[in-house]
Amino acid sequence: MKLKKVLACSLTAAMVLSLAACGSSSSDSKSTASTADGSSAVADSSAASDSSADPSEDSAADSGKTYRIGILQQLEHPALDAATEGFQDACKELFGEDNVSFDVQNGQGEQANCATIANNFVADNVDLILANATTALQCAAAATDQIPILGTSVTDYATALDISDWTGATGVNISGTSDLAPIDKQEDMLVELLPDVKTVGILYCSAEPNSEYQAKLFEAALEEDGIAYKEFTAADSNEVQSVVTAAVSEVDALYVPTDNTMASSTEIINNICLPEKLPIIAGEQGICTGCGIATLSISYYDIGYKAGQMAYDILVNGADITTMAIESAPEVTKMYNAAICEELGITVPDDYTAIEE
């Protein structure tokens, strides 16, 4: 398997919200729309823990060992916060609260900060690194090929790590969970809600490879339905306003994938698109809450929790991280922004769930 060296985190992806989605965090191990990432799917920790992770009384608790885990979160955002919370909850439940400690560090959306934090974790010889979002994962991968690394809130690992012959597992010291919702079903939502659309704009940050990956999948789905499209890309948040302003006069609707830069710019996007009555299909709930009409939502708490289960399997059960398949969210939910849909006069089918304010 060809994993090209990720040097100095050369690929950037400033998030929020890989994906990474606006919502609120909760310390409760059950996540709903109001407690974790805003997804309507309920994530109960007892149900989520139904995996190969099987804590036995004489494993972590009786060994006397305290596992030290470094958590590198790319930046503060409700979706990423929920993933970190889910990870910690799973670890506390499986390892036992007295047998696991966390060093939680935030990169504040800066690649250089993420690189420094990852290198410090390596110098501290932590037992495992959780890399929350794409740039965090790339920096952790550049820092060590020995310490186990679990990613979460990462859309596509092959793209993030530049793996050319993808088989479902990385083949190296990295595994984790993905925040990718089915792109073809997102395009189905556009066709269902906006049947008269002729041209769709694809809006994303050109510096985020996972966003480009999603854009290409969405474009392929549009081609199958005979719908034209145009790409509109911004190099960073400073370009979002001018790019969106150009887009509104050229397309009938926008698609915004799970993109960190766009997730942090939803107010700008909404202030331009809503007055022009331009509807937006969002790749994740945070963007939809800020400026979209609908999204196919996942629970970031759930994917973080799953990563915690994987950490237990690796550190206690001896699972081989090099062969561990990347896991996805167990459920997806059709969700809509009631306020924006009402403003645009869009009628939503009964199988959609309103995003709670």
Side-chain angles (χ1 to χ4, degrees):
M1 185 168 289
K2 301 174 183 176
L3 171 60
K4 299 180 181 177
K5 184 70 174 176
V6 185
L7 296 175
C9 313
S10 57
L11 297 176
T12 58
M15 158 136 195
V16 237
L17 277 126
S18 313
L19 285 184
C22 286
S24 60
S25 294
S26 167
S27 60
D28 197 330
S29 61
K30 178 179 287 187
S31 66
T32 67
S34 59
T35 60
D37 70 330
S39 170
S40 65
V42 175
D44 188 282
S45 61
S46 62
S49 60
D50 182 20
S51 78
S52 56
D54 180 20
S56 60
E57 293 183 358
D58 60 353
S59 56
D62 291 348
S63 69
K65 177 177 175 60
T66 297
Y67 294 92
R68 297 185 304 121
I69 297 177
I71 298 178
L72 169 52
Q73 183 170 314
Q74 190 164 308
L75 72 167
E76 294 178 6
H77 183 273
L80 301 187
D81 295 346
T84 293
E85 180 189 359
F87 177 82
Q88 290 178 296
D89 283 354
C91 288
K92 290 174 185 177
E93 291 171 18
L94 294 170
F95 290 94
E97 290 200 30
D98 294 334
N99 298 299
V100 62
S101 65
F102 307 101
D103 184 358
V104 183
Q105 300 290 327
N106 193 298
Q108 302 300 327
E110 297 291 334
Q111 178 181 310
N113 292 344
C114 289
T116 298
I117 293 166
N119 286 324
N120 287 342
F121 285 160
V122 175
D124 290 343
N125 196 30
V126 297
D127 294 301
L128 183 142
I129 297 172
L130 175 75
N132 192 348
T134 301
T135 296
L137 178 71
Q138 292 168 335
C139 290
T144 179
D145 60 3
Q146 299 298 315
I147 296 174
I149 299 169
L150 287 173
T152 193
S153 312
V154 175
T155 303
D156 180 61
Y157 284 73
T159 301
L161 300 173
D162 202 8
I163 299 175
S164 60
D165 51 347
W166 182 249
T167 63
T170 67
V172 293
N173 63 315
I174 300 170
S175 189
T177 57
S178 169
D179 63 358
L180 181 65
I183 301 294
D184 57 339
K185 289 183 172 54
Q186 293 177 12
E187 193 268 349
D188 288 343
M189 294 171 68
L190 182 144
V191 174
E192 179 177 45
L193 297 175
L194 307 169
D196 297 327
V197 163
K198 299 294 188 294
T199 304
V200 176
I202 315 293
L203 174 66
Y204 65 96
C205 177
S206 58
E208 300 189 33
N210 279 330
S211 299
E212 182 179 6
Y213 171 78
Q214 294 170 81
K216 298 306 180 188
L217 292 178
F218 199 86
E219 290 166 4
L222 289 171
E223 289 175 357
E224 289 186 6
D225 287 325
I227 299 174
Y229 59 84
K230 293 182 179 180
E231 286 194 359
F232 296 89
T233 61
D236 54 40
S237 59
N238 295 322
E239 295 185 0
V240 171
Q241 183 166 348
S242 61
V243 170
V244 176
T245 299
V248 294
S249 63
E250 298 185 37
V251 298
D252 306 312
L254 283 177
Y255 170 68
V256 182
T258 302
D259 182 284
N260 301 328
T261 302
M262 298 307 159
S264 63
S265 305
T266 56
E267 183 176 359
I268 294 172
I269 298 169
N270 192 56
N271 287 342
I272 297 169
C273 293
L274 191 57
E276 297 295 329
K277 306 296 184 184
L278 188 72
I280 297 170
I281 298 294
E284 52 87 19
Q285 186 176 328
I287 296 173
C288 190
T289 299
C291 63
I293 61 168
T295 186
L296 201 60
S297 178
I298 70 164
S299 166
Y300 278 79
Y301 181 94
D302 284 358
I303 61 173
Y305 195 100
K306 181 60 185 178
Q309 293 176 322
M310 296 170 78
Y312 184 87
D313 275 342
I314 293 162
L315 295 179
V316 176
N317 294 338
D320 182 0
I321 192 171
T322 67
T323 62
M324 293 180 78
I326 302 301
E327 300 279 356
S328 299
E331 296 182 17
V332 293
T333 305
K334 287 182 175 181
M335 305 195 77
Y336 72 101
N337 184 322
I340 293 181
C341 285
E342 182 177 0
E343 176 98 9
L344 299 182
I346 295 172
T347 301
V348 178
D350 291 340
D351 61 338
Y352 284 67
T353 300
I355 297 172
E356 295 185 6
E357 296 294 335

